[in-house]
Structure formats: C-alpha cells, structure tokens
C-alpha cells in the first residue's frame, strides 16, 4: 500500500515503524511545509518523493492512502482534500476539531467511496480485544474509570512565555483533545455514547485547558474520566462490575489486563503483544482497503462522531473555544 504522509514529527516516525511491520506498507510521498525538513525526513525511508504543496502531492504523487499527523485544526481540511482526490485517509486523533467537521469528513468519505479512520491506537491493540471479550465476567457494570495525566514536555516552555502548538487554541489543542480522548474513545467503543456529560477543567491563560474531569451518565452505570497535561498520574483504569473489577494498566496503551473478583481471586487476561503499538491501526486500515471495507468495526465513524460530540459538550461547559468553532 503506497502511503503519503502529512506531518514530519515523532508520531509519524512511530506510525511508520509500526506500519513497516505489516509488510504491506510503502512510504512513497512526504508533504512538509519546508523542502529541507521534508528531505531530511524522507532520507530515513529510502528517499520518498518530497512535496511542499499538498495539492501537487495528491495529483502527482504515487500514493493510495494518506496518513495525517498535522496539527488538529488542519485535519478536516487536509483529509477532505485527500478524499476528494480519491485517497484513503488515516487521520491522527482527534480526527476533527468539532462534531461539524467530523460529519463533513464522514460525508466526504462516503461521497468518494474511500476509507476514513481515526488513528486511535489503543482500541486496536490486542489487549483491548481482551477487554471487550471479558466484560461479561464482571456482572452488571456500574462504573468505567480512566485517567491519563502526563506532564507535557512543552509545558515548561509555555510557562517561560513561549507558545508551543500544544497549548495554542488556534490549533484545537489542550488536555481534553490531546489526552482526554484516550480515555473517552475506549469508553464509547465499549458502552456507546453517554446520556449526560458534566465537565470541569482548569483553563490556562493561553485559552486551552491544562487539565479536567468528566462524569458521564449511562442508564445503569457511570463513566469517569480524568486528564491533564500539567501533572502526572500513575493510576490504572478500571471497569467496575458487581462481580469483579477489571484493572487495565494504561488506557492509552493497554498491556496488562486483570480481573479482581469479589472473592479475592485474580484472573490475568493479558495477551502478549509482539508488534509496535501503531502496527495494529496500520494493519486494520490496510486490510480494510484490501477487502473493500469502508468503515472500521472498532474505530468506526459512529464512535468517532460520538466522541467528538462528547468532547464538544465538555468544551462548551468549561469555556474552551477553538478558531475552528467559528467557521
């Protein structure tokens, strides 16, 4: 599968490492705003063609699909342009700035009969399937709890008066979008969209949220999500049932899954993972294209839209607005 990439950063490198392991991936085009950076990046991967004009890459590049890892605010425009040129799109999370953009992206995918998938790695990793397959052992489920708090490597620069993209609302960033989604997407995939969302957050002077919490209501359970880019947490995720509690080491990258039953027994469900974390999303995406499928059964359009709607509701409650919301 011939890929073009948009975005020459560390996450793109991680994706390429995982995608190469599928043995069905070829990097044939690189889009970068500067030719120097594009050539430096492409040189690591057998000199793929370099473009500084996205339209030109889509028209002249030898590509079947595009992986997008640009700033969040650019995802929708770039993805729709790619799909209108008949290219399949794997787009980094969060796939859109808001629910309106998400609907426009899904419409473009359907119009052009191409694959559009959100690149949320955790729900496609082997131990997420373990989580799905063993929920029944918990009895009636009463609470989903997930926490992803990671002190940003760019926060010190921000406190020194600089404005890195990750703390800039012009790029549709902040804690909820960057980290909270890792907690919300698995919840929606497992239990659907909640009936009610209540959110609080700590807003930074730049206009993005540094941290926040969400409590969500389902008919017979609740969801609790905690996220932060200005502090660390070492808590695992839990799915609490009346018969036992499933404990997941990291909701953003599940490697270890156990059930602690009420009687004191512990069942280790962990499945060995032999590939790079992003291998599994690359494989899902490529296999869908090969078999003529257009919507992932896991990272589906419906799940992506539901998560976008939950995040938009949470943003409205904490006063987090993006330039993309004004479009």
């Amino acid at each position: 599968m011939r890929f073009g990439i948009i975005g020459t950063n560390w996450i793109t490198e991680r994706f390429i490492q995982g995608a190469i392991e599928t043995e069905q991936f070829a990097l044939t085009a690189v889009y970068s705003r500067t030719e120097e950076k594009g050539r430096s990046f492409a040189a690591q991967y057998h000199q793929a063609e370099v473009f500084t004009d996205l339209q030109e890459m889509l028209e002249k590049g030898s590509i079947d699909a595009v992986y997008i890892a640009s700033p969040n605010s650019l995802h929708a425009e770039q993805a729709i342009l790619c799909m209108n040129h008949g290219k399949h799109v794997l787009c980094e999370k969060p796939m859109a700035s808001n629910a309106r953009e998400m609907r426009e992206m899904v419409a473009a995918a359907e119009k052009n009969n191409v694959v559009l998938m959100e690149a949320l790695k955790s729900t496609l990793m082997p131990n997420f399937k373990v989580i799905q397959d063993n929920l029944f052992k918990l009895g009636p489920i009463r609470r989903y709890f997930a926490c992803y708090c990671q002190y940003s490597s760019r926060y010190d620069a921000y406190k020194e008066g600089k404005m890195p993209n990750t703390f800039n609302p012009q790029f549709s960033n902040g804690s909820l979008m960057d980290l909270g989604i890792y907690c919300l997407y698995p919840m929606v995939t497992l239990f659907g969209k909640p009936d009610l969302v209540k959110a609080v957050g700590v807003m930074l002077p730049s206009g993005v949220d540094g941290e926040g919490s969400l409590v969500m209501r389902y008919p017979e359970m609740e969801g609790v999500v905690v996220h932060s880019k200005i502090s660390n947490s070492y808590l695992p995720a839990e799915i609490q049932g009346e018969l036992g509690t499933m404990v997941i080491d990291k909701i953003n990258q599940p490697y270890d899954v156990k059930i602690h039953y009420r009687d004191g027994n512990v069942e280790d469900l962990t499945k060995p993972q032999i590939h790079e974390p992003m291998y599994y999303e690359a494989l899902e995406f490529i296999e869908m294209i090969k078999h003529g499928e257009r919507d992932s059964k896991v990272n589906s359009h419906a799940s992506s839209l539901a998560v976008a709607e939950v995040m938009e509701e949470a943003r409205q409650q904490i006063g987090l607005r993006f330039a993309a919301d004004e479009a």
Side-chain angles (χ1 to χ4, degrees):
M1 193 71 60
R2 301 172 301 172
F3 273 75
I5 60 164
I6 300 174
T8 52
N9 49 44
W10 67 270
I11 194 69
T12 308
E13 292 178 352
R14 296 271 181 88
F15 169 73
I16 292 171
Q17 290 168 10
I20 287 172
E21 290 187 12
T22 69
E23 299 183 349
Q24 302 179 70
F25 169 89
L27 178 61
T28 54
V30 173
Y31 166 75
S32 177
R33 287 172 296 175
T34 66
E35 186 166 348
E36 181 183 2
K37 189 173 182 181
R39 292 200 178 283
S40 175
F41 188 91
Q44 304 173 70
Y45 305 103
H46 307 294
Q47 295 291 348
E49 278 191 280
V50 176
F51 298 88
T52 56
D53 183 292
L54 181 55
Q55 183 88 16
E56 184 181 6
M57 184 181 85
L58 296 171
E59 291 176 354
K60 298 181 179 179
S62 301
I63 56 176
D64 306 302
V66 179
Y67 169 73
I68 299 177
S70 54
N72 299 338
S73 59
L74 303 178
H75 288 177
E77 179 182 355
Q78 291 174 339
I80 290 171
L81 181 63
C82 292
M83 290 186 285
N84 285 343
H85 280 79
K87 311 303 180 186
H88 306 285
V89 171
L90 178 62
C91 186
E92 262 307 323
K93 60 81 203 163
M95 193 154 68
S97 297
N98 51 44
R100 173 187 54 79
E101 285 188 350
M102 186 71 74
R103 294 186 189 97
E104 291 172 354
M105 295 168 78
V106 170
E110 293 172 348
K111 172 188 172 185
N112 293 289
N113 193 31
V114 294
V115 174
L116 170 68
M117 191 181 88
E118 191 159 12
L120 196 289
K121 65 183 178 184
S122 57
T123 45
L124 294 165
M125 290 170 66
N127 281 297
F128 188 78
K129 184 69 163 54
V130 168
I131 294 167
Q132 288 177 305
D133 290 348
N134 288 275
L135 285 179
F136 73 95
K137 296 178 180 179
L138 304 179
I141 293 171
R142 298 307 187 191
R143 180 180 290 113
Y144 167 95
F145 169 80
C147 179
Y148 190 11
C149 302
Q150 181 173 295
Y151 189 95
S152 172
S153 61
R154 297 176 181 85
Y155 187 45
D156 288 340
Y158 169 78
K159 290 192 290 184
E160 292 169 0
K162 300 173 185 176
M163 183 56 76
N165 287 359
T166 191
F167 292 105
N168 190 340
Q170 292 297 315
F171 294 110
S172 304
N173 278 329
S175 180
L176 176 65
M177 298 290 278
D178 291 348
L179 300 185
I181 188 172
Y182 280 110
C183 302
L184 291 168
Y185 209 106
M187 182 190 76
V188 168
T189 302
L190 293 171
F191 305 110
K193 185 181 175 184
D195 299 330
L196 179 71
V197 177
K198 293 291 185 181
V200 294
V202 173
M203 298 297 292
L204 301 177
S206 69
V208 303
D209 58 325
E211 66 174 25
S213 302
L214 295 85
V215 177
M216 291 149 287
R217 185 183 69 197
Y218 288 87
E220 296 183 343
M221 60 170 280
E222 66 178 16
V224 180
V225 162
V226 179
H227 59 89
S228 177
K229 291 178 73 72
I230 57 176
S231 62
N232 287 324
S233 174
Y234 306 93
L235 294 174
E238 290 189 346
I239 302 174
Q240 302 169 5
E242 293 187 2
L243 300 181
T245 295
M246 185 179 290
V247 180
I248 303 146
D249 61 339
K250 294 179 181 178
I251 197 64
N252 62 302
Q253 200 162 271
Y255 285 110
D256 186 273
V257 182
K258 294 182 175 70
I259 295 179
H260 294 250
Y261 292 100
R262 278 188 16 241
D263 63 6
N265 288 324
V266 178
E267 182 181 8
D268 190 343
L269 302 169
T270 305
K271 185 175 182 179
Q273 179 178 303
I274 60 174
H275 293 286
E276 287 283 330
M278 297 180 79
Y279 159 89
Y280 303 97
E281 68 183 54
L283 183 65
E284 170 87 356
F285 181 71
I286 291 170
E287 289 293 314
M288 285 170 58
I289 295 170
K290 285 174 56 180
H291 294 105
E293 300 171 7
R294 290 296 176 257
D295 191 13
S296 170
K297 293 180 176 64
V298 182
N299 288 10
S300 65
H301 296 163
S303 289
S304 292
L305 178 58
V307 172
E309 290 173 341
V310 169
M311 292 199 297
E312 189 166 338
E313 173 63 27
R315 288 198 298 110
Q316 289 174 356
Q317 292 182 23
I318 67 174
L320 175 56
R321 298 286 295 174
F322 298 140
D325 297 329
E326 312 302 327

